[in-house]
Amino acid sequence: MSSSPEPSSSAPEPQDGAAGAGSPRRTVLSTRRLESYTDGVFAIAATLLVLNVSVNNLGAVTSNSDFVRQLTDQAPSILNVVISFLLLSLLWLIHVRQFEYIPRVDTTIVWLNNFRLLGVVLVPFTTSLNDEFNRFLLGRTLLPVNFFVILLLSTWQWFHASSPRRHLVQGASAAAVHNARVGSVSALAQSFGVVLLATMVGSAAFLLFALDPLISVLLRRTGVLRPAPDAVAG
Amino acid sequence: MSSSPEPSSSAPEPQDGAAGAGSPRRTVLSTRRLESYTDGVFAIAATLLVLNVSVNNLGAVTSNSDFVRQLTDQAPSILNVVISFLLLSLLWLIHVRQFEYIPRVDTTIVWLNNFRLLGVVLVPFTTSLNDEFNRFLLGRTLLPVNFFVILLLSTWQWFHASSPRRHLVQGASAAAVHNARVGSVSALAQSFGVVLLATMVGSAAFLLFALDPLISVLLRRTGVLRPAPDAVAG
Amino acid sequence: MSSSPEPSSSAPEPQDGAAGAGSPRRTVLSTRRLESYTDGVFAIAATLLVLNVSVNNLGAVTSNSDFVRQLTDQAPSILNVVISFLLLSLLWLIHVRQFEYIPRVDTTIVWLNNFRLLGVVLVPFTTSLNDEFNRFLLGRTLLPVNFFVILLLSTWQWFHASSPRRHLVQGASAAAVHNARVGSVSALAQSFGVVLLATMVGSAAFLLFALDPLISVLLRRTGVLRPAPDAVAG
Amino acid sequence: MSSSPEPSSSAPEPQDGAAGAGSPRRTVLSTRRLESYTDGVFAIAATLLVLNVSVNNLGAVTSNSDFVRQLTDQAPSILNVVISFLLLSLLWLIHVRQFEYIPRVDTTIVWLNNFRLLGVVLVPFTTSLNDEFNRFLLGRTLLPVNFFVILLLSTWQWFHASSPRRHLVQGASAAAVHNARVGSVSALAQSFGVVLLATMVGSAAFLLFALDPLISVLLRRTGVLRPAPDAVAG
C-alpha cells in the first residue's frame, strides 16, 4: 500500500476487503483464514501424536509392579511424543511470530504455507517411524529431515513476505525484519546440524537447539543481529 | 444493502448483528462462523489423510536396506496422500477467495456449504479407495468424482452468492465477479475432464490441472475474462 | 446493559473486556471463544463420522463387478453417515443462529453449551450403534435420543439467554426472540416424534423433519409465530 | 503500556500489531492465535475421548436384552469418558476466563501454554489407563495427576501474567486479579486432595470438587477473597 521501498513501520491498515490497489496482478487475501486453517492443522497434528502411545501397547497386567514396569517400557515412546509435541509447538510459535506482521498474503505465500502444513501433518508419521525404527539410519533421520524441510519452507516464506517491494510485512521496523531473516537462517542451519547429528545419535540430536541462545548472543556481538525496538522471528 | 442492481464495489459494511433490512424474509448470518467451521473441517480432513500411511503397514524389518525397500513400497501411498492434500489445499483456497467478499450469508449458502463439506470429509475415504483399488474402474474414478462434486457445489454457491439481486458479494468489482464465475466454470470443466481421463489413467489425470494457466491465457485473449482492477476466484 | 425489560433491539455493543456492570455477581465472558470451541468440536465430530466407512470393511476384491457389489453393500453405512452429517450440520446451524445475537455469555450458558457438546461428540458413537445394531430396539433409538437431548439443551440454553432480565440477547426484536422460542420448542417436539417413530422404523424417522415447513406455516397462520422484521432461530 | 504499577482497569487497548513499546526486550504477541490454537487442541482432545467407547468393544449380540446388557457393561467406560469430558470443559473454561483479560502474551506465557496443552492432549491416554487399569494404584492415580499438573501450569501462568510489572492483564480490577489468584491456588489445592483420595477410591475422588462453592464461601467470609465489581478466574 505504501509507496516506500522499505517495509512500513506503521500499524497494519484496517483490512479493506478489496484486493490491494498497489498490486493489480496478484490476488491478495487477508491473513485471518490462513491463520485459522494453520492453527487447526497444528492442533490436530499435535493431538494425533498421542495416538502413538496407547493402552493397546500394554499386555496383560498382573500386579502394581508389573504395571509400573510396563509403563516404564513405554517411557521412550512417551518421550518421543513429548519431543515431537515441543517441536510442533516451536514451529507453531515461529508461524505466529511471522504472521503477526503480515496482514495480507498473496498466492505464493498461501501455497508455501500449504506445503509447510503438509510437512506438519507428516510429523505424527515420522515420529512413529522414529519411535519404532530408530535402530535404522533412515528411521532415526526422517523426523529431523521432516523438521528441516518445514523450516526451509518457513524461511522461504519469510524471505518472500519480507521482500520490500511486496509490502506484505507491515508494522515492523526494518531492523526487526532483518533480524528475523537472520534468526530464520540460523534456525535452518541448526536444524541441518540436527539432521547430521541424528544419523549418529537419533532424537538426542534435537538437544542441539539448546545452543540457540548462545548463537544469538554471538550474532548480536558480531553485529549480524542489529539493535531493534521491536522483535519478529522469521 | 445498496439499491444498485450491480454488486457494490464499496468495502463491506461493518457487520451489524441484525438481519439485513433489504432482505426481510431470509435469515442472514455473518460469514465468520461458516468460515471457522469450514477451516476446521478442512484442517481435520487434511490431517486424517495421513492415517493412510502408517507404520502398521510395515512388516518386520531386518536391515537398513530392507527398511529403505519397505518405505519405497509405501511411496505410491504417500504420493496419493500428497496429491489429495494438495487438492484439499486448492479447494480450501477457492473457498477462502470466494468468501473474502461475502460478509453475510443466507440459509441457502449455509446448506450448499454443508454439502460441500460433506464432500470434503469423504476425501480421506475416496483417497484410500484410490490407493488400494486403483486397478478397478470405480476405485480410480471415485476420488476425481468426489472432487468434481465439490467443485460443482462450489460453483453453484458462487453463482447464488454473486447474483446481483441478493447483494451478498460486497467490495468486488463487477468485472472481478464475472471473471470469478468464468474461472469457476472453467475449473469445473477441467475437473470433468479429469474424471473422464481418470477412468483410463487413474490419479495421473489430475495433471490436467497443470493446463489451467494456459486456459486462463486463452480465456483472456478471447475476451471471456475481462480486465479487472481486483481479483476473486469462484 | 440496557435498563429496558425487553431485549434491546439496538446493535450489540462493542465488546469491552470488563464484566458487565449490570450483572455484578455473574462472570460474563465474550462469546467468541465459546463459538470457536463449538465450531472445532462440531468440525471434528462431523469428520470422525466418516471413520465409520473404511476400506477395512472391504474384503478381497476380484473384479470390477465384485468391487461395485462390495461398495453397494456399504451403501447403508454411507447413507447413515450422510444422515448424521446433515443432522450435525443442522445442529450447528441452530447454534450459529442462536449466538448471532448473544455477544456475551454467563457461566450457566457455558455449562449448558458444554453438555450440548458432550451430546455432539457422542454422535459418531450412536451413529455406529445405529449402523450395526438397528435390528435391536435400543440400537435404532439411541441416535434419535442423542439428537433429542442436544435439542433439549439447545432449547434450555435459548430460554435462559433470551430471558429479558439477563440482557444477553442483543440486536434482535422482541418478536424475533419470541419466534425463536416457538421454533425451538417446535423442533424439540418434532425430535420427540422422531424418537417414537424410530422405535418402529429406525433412521427413516428423521424424514419427519421434512414436515417442518408445513408446521411453520401452520404456526404462522394461527398467530403463534409473530411477524418480525428480522429472524433468529432458537 | 500503562506506567501504573497496578494492572490498569481500563478496557484493553486496540491491538496495534507492533510489539509493546513498554517492553523492548520481550517479543509480545497478540493473544488471538494462542486462543485459537488452544480451542482447537481442547476440541480435539475432548472429541478423541469418545474413541474410548466403540462398537468394537461389543461382541456378537443375540437379542434386545443381550444388547442392553452389553451396553450396560460399557457404562463404566462411558461414565469415565463423561467425567474426563467435563474435566476438560472445566480446564477450558478456566483458560477462557484467564485470557479474557490478557490481550497480549510474552514468550513465557506461550511456552507455559504449550506445556499446559501437552497435559491436555495426554488426557485421552490417562483416561483410557484409568478405564482399564483402575485396580492398580498407578492406573487410578495418573488421570488425577495429569489434571493436577495442568492446574499447576495454569496457576503458574496466571501468576506470571498478573504480575503488576508485566502489564499483561488489562481491564480487570486489582481485587478481581487478587481473587483470581486465590481461586487458582484453591483449585490447585483441591486438585491435590483429589490425587491423594484417588489413590484409594479412584475417579470418585473428583467429587471433591463439589466442595468448591463451600470453600469459596469460607474464603469470602474470612476476607481472603475480596469484594470486586467484576470477576476473573485464574
Side-chain angles (χ1 to χ4, degrees):
Chain A
M1 299 298 135
S2 144
S3 59
S4 141
E6 289 291 324
S8 156
S9 64
S10 66
E13 301 166 35
Q15 167 190 334
D16 62 12
S23 49
R25 288 162 316 148
R26 288 176 299 129
T27 305
V28 177
L29 298 165
S30 72
T31 308
R32 188 175 44 85
R33 290 196 61 192
L34 181 145
E35 292 179 327
S36 153
Y37 182 51
T38 302
D39 289 344
V41 169
F42 268 104
I44 301 152
T47 316
L48 284 185
L49 276 176
V50 182
L51 299 185
N52 281 334
V53 270
S54 159
V55 290
N56 300 333
N57 301 341
L58 304 177
V61 176
T62 54
S63 67
N64 272 321
S65 58
D66 181 34
F67 187 58
V68 172
R69 193 184 50 70
Q70 289 210 28
L71 278 183
T72 316
D73 289 351
Q74 292 259 311
S77 292
I78 295 175
L79 184 66
N80 226 14
V81 164
V82 169
I83 290 174
S84 287
F85 185 93
L86 295 180
L87 291 177
L88 282 181
S89 298
L90 180 61
L91 290 172
W92 173 79
L93 180 55
I94 289 174
H95 194 281
V96 172
R97 281 178 176 164
Q98 281 185 359
F99 283 88
E100 184 85 5
Y101 299 96
I102 305 181
R104 270 186 290 266
V105 292
D106 61 17
T107 304
T108 308
I109 288 192
V110 171
W111 280 105
L112 285 172
N113 203 62
N114 285 336
F115 280 100
R116 200 170 163 178
L117 293 180
L118 178 56
V120 168
V121 300
L122 287 171
V123 166
F125 175 60
T126 51
T127 299
S128 58
L129 280 182
N130 195 47
D131 186 24
E132 294 194 26
F133 300 102
N134 64 357
R135 66 194 182 283
F136 301 111
L137 180 63
L138 212 59
R140 60 180 173 265
T141 317
L142 280 178
L143 178 60
V145 167
N146 192 349
F147 193 58
F148 172 77
V149 170
I150 298 171
L151 279 176
L152 185 65
L153 288 161
S154 152
T155 303
W156 183 355
Q157 213 178 6
W158 178 249
F159 273 77
H160 176 89
S162 65
S163 159
R165 67 190 162 84
R166 290 202 184 85
H167 307 309
L168 292 170
V169 171
Q170 301 196 353
S173 71
V177 169
H178 166 83
N179 287 351
R181 288 179 164 222
V182 171
S184 190
V185 172
S186 160
L188 191 61
Q190 290 171 51
S191 165
F192 188 69
V194 170
V195 172
L196 294 182
L197 202 58
T199 59
M200 290 172 288
V201 304
S203 286
F206 284 113
L207 287 172
L208 208 66
F209 282 115
L211 294 179
D212 184 61
L214 256 162
I215 294 171
S216 291
V217 168
L218 206 77
L219 291 171
R220 211 170 290 124
R221 288 274 168 80
T222 54
V224 181
L225 283 172
R226 298 177 198 158
D230 52 356
V232 201
Chain B
M1 303 305 129
S2 142
S3 59
S4 142
E6 289 290 323
S8 157
S9 65
S10 64
E13 301 166 35
Q15 167 191 336
D16 61 12
S23 49
R25 289 162 316 149
R26 288 177 298 130
T27 305
V28 176
L29 299 164
S30 73
T31 309
R32 188 174 44 85
R33 289 196 60 192
L34 181 145
E35 292 179 327
S36 153
Y37 181 51
T38 301
D39 289 344
V41 168
F42 268 104
I44 299 152
T47 315
L48 284 185
L49 276 176
V50 182
L51 299 184
N52 282 334
V53 268
S54 159
V55 290
N56 300 333
N57 300 341
L58 304 179
V61 176
T62 53
S63 67
N64 271 322
S65 58
D66 181 34
F67 187 57
V68 171
R69 194 184 49 72
Q70 289 210 27
L71 278 182
T72 316
D73 290 351
Q74 292 260 311
S77 292
I78 295 175
L79 183 67
N80 226 15
V81 163
V82 169
I83 290 174
S84 287
F85 186 93
L86 295 180
L87 290 177
L88 281 181
S89 298
L90 179 62
L91 291 173
W92 174 79
L93 179 56
I94 289 174
H95 194 282
V96 171
R97 281 177 176 165
Q98 282 185 357
F99 283 89
E100 184 85 6
Y101 299 97
I102 305 181
R104 271 187 289 266
V105 292
D106 61 17
T107 305
T108 307
I109 289 192
V110 171
W111 280 106
L112 285 172
N113 203 63
N114 286 336
F115 280 100
R116 200 170 162 178
L117 293 180
L118 177 56
V120 169
V121 301
L122 287 172
V123 166
F125 175 61
T126 51
T127 299
S128 58
L129 280 183
N130 196 46
D131 186 23
E132 295 194 27
F133 300 101
N134 63 358
R135 66 193 182 284
F136 301 110
L137 180 63
L138 212 59
R140 61 181 174 264
T141 317
L142 280 179
L143 179 59
V145 167
N146 192 346
F147 193 59
F148 172 78
V149 170
I150 298 171
L151 279 176
L152 185 66
L153 289 161
S154 152
T155 303
W156 183 355
Q157 212 177 7
W158 178 248
F159 273 77
H160 177 89
S162 65
S163 159
R165 67 190 162 84
R166 290 201 184 85
H167 306 308
L168 292 171
V169 171
Q170 302 196 352
S173 72
V177 169
H178 167 83
N179 288 349
R181 288 179 163 221
V182 171
S184 190
V185 172
S186 161
L188 190 61
Q190 290 172 50
S191 165
F192 188 69
V194 170
V195 172
L196 294 181
L197 203 57
T199 59
M200 289 172 289
V201 304
S203 287
F206 284 113
L207 288 172
L208 208 66
F209 283 116
L211 294 178
D212 184 62
L214 257 162
I215 295 171
S216 291
V217 167
L218 205 76
L219 291 171
R220 212 170 290 123
R221 288 273 168 83
T222 54
V224 181
L225 283 172
R226 299 178 197 157
D230 51 357
V232 200
Chain C
M1 298 297 132
S2 141
S3 58
S4 141
E6 289 291 323
S8 157
S9 64
S10 65
E13 300 166 35
Q15 167 190 334
D16 62 12
S23 50
R25 288 162 316 150
R26 288 177 298 130
T27 304
V28 176
L29 298 164
S30 73
T31 309
R32 189 175 43 86
R33 290 196 62 191
L34 180 145
E35 292 179 328
S36 152
Y37 181 51
T38 301
D39 288 343
V41 168
F42 268 103
I44 300 153
T47 315
L48 284 186
L49 275 176
V50 182
L51 299 185
N52 281 334
V53 269
S54 160
V55 290
N56 299 334
N57 300 340
L58 304 177
V61 176
T62 54
S63 67
N64 271 321
S65 58
D66 182 35
F67 187 58
V68 171
R69 196 185 46 71
Q70 289 211 27
L71 278 182
T72 317
D73 290 351
Q74 291 259 312
S77 292
I78 295 175
L79 184 67
N80 227 14
V81 163
V82 168
I83 291 173
S84 287
F85 186 92
L86 295 180
L87 291 177
L88 282 181
S89 298
L90 180 61
L91 291 173
W92 173 79
L93 179 55
I94 290 174
H95 194 281
V96 172
R97 281 177 176 166
Q98 281 185 356
F99 283 89
E100 184 85 5
Y101 298 96
I102 306 181
R104 272 186 288 266
V105 292
D106 61 17
T107 304
T108 307
I109 288 192
V110 172
W111 280 106
L112 285 172
N113 203 62
N114 285 335
F115 280 100
R116 202 170 161 177
L117 294 180
L118 178 56
V120 169
V121 300
L122 287 172
V123 166
F125 175 61
T126 52
T127 299
S128 58
L129 280 182
N130 196 46
D131 187 24
E132 295 195 27
F133 300 101
N134 63 358
R135 64 193 182 284
F136 301 112
L137 180 63
L138 212 60
R140 61 181 174 265
T141 318
L142 280 179
L143 178 59
V145 167
N146 191 347
F147 193 58
F148 172 77
V149 169
I150 299 172
L151 280 176
L152 185 67
L153 288 160
S154 152
T155 303
W156 182 355
Q157 212 177 7
W158 177 250
F159 274 77
H160 176 89
S162 65
S163 160
R165 66 190 162 82
R166 290 201 184 86
H167 307 308
L168 292 170
V169 171
Q170 301 196 352
S173 72
V177 168
H178 167 83
N179 288 349
R181 288 179 164 220
V182 171
S184 191
V185 172
S186 160
L188 190 62
Q190 290 171 50
S191 165
F192 188 69
V194 170
V195 171
L196 294 181
L197 203 57
T199 59
M200 290 173 287
V201 304
S203 286
F206 284 114
L207 288 172
L208 208 66
F209 282 117
L211 294 179
D212 184 62
L214 258 163
I215 295 171
S216 291
V217 167
L218 206 77
L219 291 172
R220 211 170 292 124
R221 289 274 169 82
T222 54
V224 181
L225 282 172
R226 298 177 197 159
D230 53 355
V232 200
Chain D
M1 299 300 134
S2 144
S3 58
S4 140
E6 290 290 324
S8 156
S9 64
S10 66
E13 300 167 35
Q15 168 190 334
D16 60 12
S23 49
R25 288 162 315 150
R26 288 176 298 130
T27 303
V28 176
L29 298 164
S30 72
T31 308
R32 189 175 45 86
R33 290 197 61 194
L34 181 145
E35 292 179 327
S36 153
Y37 181 51
T38 301
D39 288 344
V41 168
F42 268 103
I44 301 153
T47 315
L48 284 185
L49 275 175
V50 181
L51 298 185
N52 281 334
V53 269
S54 159
V55 290
N56 299 333
N57 301 340
L58 305 177
V61 176
T62 55
S63 67
N64 272 320
S65 58
D66 181 35
F67 187 58
V68 172
R69 195 185 48 71
Q70 289 210 29
L71 279 182
T72 317
D73 290 351
Q74 292 259 313
S77 292
I78 295 175
L79 184 67
N80 226 15
V81 163
V82 169
I83 290 174
S84 287
F85 186 93
L86 295 180
L87 291 177
L88 282 181
S89 298
L90 179 62
L91 290 172
W92 173 79
L93 179 55
I94 289 174
H95 194 281
V96 172
R97 281 178 176 164
Q98 281 184 357
F99 283 89
E100 184 85 6
Y101 299 96
I102 305 182
R104 271 187 289 268
V105 292
D106 61 17
T107 304
T108 307
I109 289 192
V110 172
W111 280 105
L112 285 172
N113 204 62
N114 286 336
F115 280 101
R116 201 170 162 178
L117 293 180
L118 178 56
V120 168
V121 300
L122 287 171
V123 166
F125 175 60
T126 51
T127 299
S128 58
L129 280 183
N130 196 46
D131 187 24
E132 295 195 26
F133 300 102
N134 63 358
R135 64 193 183 284
F136 301 110
L137 180 62
L138 212 60
R140 62 180 174 265
T141 317
L142 280 179
L143 179 60
V145 167
N146 192 347
F147 193 59
F148 172 77
V149 169
I150 298 171
L151 279 177
L152 185 66
L153 289 161
S154 152
T155 304
W156 183 355
Q157 211 177 9
W158 178 249
F159 273 76
H160 177 88
S162 65
S163 159
R165 66 190 162 84
R166 289 200 184 86
H167 306 308
L168 292 171
V169 171
Q170 302 196 350
S173 71
V177 170
H178 167 84
N179 288 351
R181 289 180 163 219
V182 171
S184 191
V185 172
S186 161
L188 191 61
Q190 290 171 51
S191 165
F192 188 69
V194 170
V195 172
L196 294 182
L197 202 58
T199 59
M200 291 171 288
V201 303
S203 286
F206 284 113
L207 288 172
L208 207 66
F209 282 116
L211 294 179
D212 183 61
L214 257 164
I215 295 171
S216 291
V217 168
L218 206 77
L219 290 171
R220 210 170 292 125
R221 289 274 168 82
T222 54
V224 181
L225 283 172
R226 297 177 198 159
D230 52 356
V232 200

